[in-house]
Amino acid sequence: MTRFSYTPLPVRVVFGTGTAGQVRAEVERLGRSRVLLLRRPGRAEVVEEALGPLVVGRFEDAAMHTPVEVTERALAVLRGAEADCVVAVGGGSTTGLAKALADRTGVDQVVLPTTYAGSEVTAVLGETRDGVKTTRSSPEVLPETVIYDAELSRDLPVPVVVTSAVNALAHAVEALYSPDANPVVDGLAVDAVGRLARGLRGLATADTREELLHGAWLAATCLGAVRTGLHHKLCHTLGGSFGLPHAPTHTVVLPHAMAYNAAAAPEAMRRVADALGATDAPSAVYDLIVTAGGPTSLRELGLAEADLDRAAELAVEHPYPNPAALTREGILGLLRHAWAGERPAGVSPSLDGLTAQVVSTFAGPPRLRALLTDLVPRLHAFAVDNDLTQEEWQHGIEFLTRAGQISDDKRQEFVLLSDTLGVSSVVDVLTNSRTPETTPSAVLGPFYVEGPPELAQGTDIARGLPGVPLWVDVRITSTSGAPVTGAVVDVWQSNSDGFYDVQLPDLDGPVLRGRLLSGEDGRVRFWSILPSEYPIPADGPVGEMLRATGRHPYRAPHLHFMIQAAGHQKLITQLFVSGGRYLDSDAVFGVKEDLIVDFEPRTGPAPDGREPAGDWRELTFTFRVAPLASPH
Ligand code: BEZ
Ligand code: FE
């Protein structure tokens, strides 16, 4: 039975790139007009400009751990300027100061975070008085509005981005095994882990600041809703009592705190591992940090080995919730590993950093690097997760070798493999226009031939081959409904036995394929025969795979179209015969509801005056093609 309680915190969030310009509207939305601006010296000019005359005072001395003396000085400025609102632009220290001021005066806060620290969406305030840090929680402290602008983190140096993002990652990880975990927080945490990992992995080759900020916000929202465990306790101890820097300490400690908790929180670890595309969460987090170039040892952060004992003692001084039992010896062991920067051994066979090592070798074009950097850890995890044997891997290699050997300019086994594993349909969905106004696309398949015969309207593409005559009358329109004239429309289909001309060397081809141009009214008309279901080529390795997995090789009956019109996106699609076989088990996953069409039974004379001998069918359909985005 699942039991939980959950109280979401009421904070308004404005997210995006370039959103800082909305700060004035957000202040006015709160009914405020006199702003004390908290910022770093010389920073946050966009914000100051956007606020204009609303700024009645500035304070630039926010300090780490929110010392009360600094807050007192800021309070004097706030009162002197008669400010009714603070706008804070900066990292955790600036946000902390805004919260401390709100705690004392009830003043409204609009916070624009420049790092991924996350305290902007929590109701927790940590302050230091005479060197002692205390934290408390109060609704007054929660900012009214947070504006996330990825642009504001643009100047953050990469090493800070990395440690700050791992700090955020720690919020999400600890939320998953917190006693306060609930389905909403779990969902946010898993999403956060995925985004932060993608953002960190892509950092070297792409601008991933928005992805990181998005992940950081989700992770911070988790932090605002749950109590944290060993990881946060250790970081506070190491920061508070040994002066270690906040985010780098989080970065070093996280994989080790996770390893400590792994056996006691298997479900949380599985979710983190899944989100990272890995098997073992603690070592995967360690590898992620190595790949991103973050710190891995407490030694490099300046902690003396002699301090480890005392740190372990402090970490068990007061009880707090944590999945694994907290023992001084256990924590000392954890700290020793973290001090030395060792990779957590993990529950699965140690790859000894092999994955990170392989990933670090990729140079070359950014996109290639990004794809391989993502692919390799997934392949390694696939092998590890499944305990892949030498024989199985060899079998896979032989399978691919045979797929290559059977392929030539007419037979493409790799396309078939991609189709039957659904990958072609995935890429198709990603690539093509998916608006409801556009006709859905479908896989190209291996039987399209470049440069089909150019045919006049009304031609019979079946050229007398046996089958039920089919009159096709389709219209090409733009998404606005306007007819598209002069569109190049390629069509191809199988014969009534289920073969394409290219599969029949004795046939006098090309047949059952052609290229027509749409007329003034956007229409394309031609004769053909009713397509039937057919098996995809099953005499090669793909057929073997289908048989071995109990799958049939049949495609639902369909007619292929490729439509290329000036000023419009190319549309590759298929129309499926409603009532046809295999519509719900198409071997290549190509069927979409909107593409299933009635091929209407008819008798008597056809619209072009021809009188087929018996029954015939009529296919009418309107293709809506998406206009190309106009250049700005
Ligand atoms: C086809 O419809 O022509 C097709 C598509 C994918 C695999 C095999 C055939
Ligand atoms: Fe086909």
Side-chain angles (χ1 to χ4, degrees), residues 548-561:
T549 55
R551 283 173 54 175
H552 71 71
Y554 282 91
R555 292 227 56 203
H558 60 272
L559 186 51
H560 291 265
F561 289 86

Side-chain angles (χ1 to χ4, degrees), residues 444 447 492-494 500 534 555 558 560 574:
L444 175 69
F447 299 125
W492 68 106
Q493 67 167 86
S494 61
Y500 284 79
Y534 65 84
R555 292 227 56 203
H558 60 272
H560 291 265
Q574 305 173 21

Side-chain angles (χ1 to χ4, degrees), residues 536-553:
I536 62 167
D539 56 341
V542 169
E544 243 173 75
M545 180 212 35
L546 294 178
R547 282 187 293 281
T549 55
R551 283 173 54 175
H552 71 71

